[in-house]
Amino acid sequence: MSTTASTRTVGVDIQESEANRSVVEAIEATNDGCTVQHMPGLVRITAPGRLVVTRESVEERLGREWETHEFQLAIVSYFGHIKEWDDDEIVIAWDH
């Protein structure tokens, strides 16, 4: 059985903190089928194929403006490739 980009798991590890709670909630709400695993000190979020972080979704939960570059302060690591990173969204997926 071969694995394709649409089924290969991608993910991100986010430092667990009050400041990052809104980011985790936004990712979970935006990505159907994602899995959220809480571990000591971090939250691992995985999804089949791609993971999307949208500025709008984070701002709704955070209650303030949020710029996507702030994501760099939250992440510990990620697996997949950064396919897109602009002012409105971040997309993590595999190239192949």
Side-chain angles (χ1 to χ4, degrees):
M1 180 176 183
S2 66
T3 302
T4 64
S6 63
T7 59
R8 194 170 173 195
T9 301
V10 298
V12 64
D13 293 335
I14 297 176
Q15 181 179 2
E16 187 159 39
S17 70
E18 187 63 37
N20 294 334
R21 182 182 316 264
S22 298
V23 175
V24 171
E25 291 172 356
I27 294 171
E28 188 173 14
T30 304
N31 295 275
D32 292 333
C34 75
T35 302
V36 179
Q37 181 182 11
H38 293 267
M39 296 183 256
L42 66 92
V43 179
R44 173 168 284 175
I45 305 170
T46 58
R50 61 188 262 140
L51 192 74
V52 179
V53 183
T54 66
R55 179 185 49 78
E56 180 180 25
S57 185
V58 174
E59 287 179 346
E60 285 174 8
R61 285 152 183 84
L62 193 57
R64 68 164 175 83
E65 289 187 8
W66 182 80
E67 296 182 20
T68 57
H69 71 80
E70 293 179 63
F71 190 60
Q72 294 176 57
L73 302 173
I75 61 173
V76 175
S77 64
Y78 64 92
F79 45 103
H81 298 142
I82 304 292
K83 298 288 286 181
E84 183 177 331
W85 190 315
D86 61 29
D87 292 340
D88 294 318
E89 75 177 11
I90 301 162
V91 177
I92 303 171
W94 291 106
D95 284 336
H96 48 355

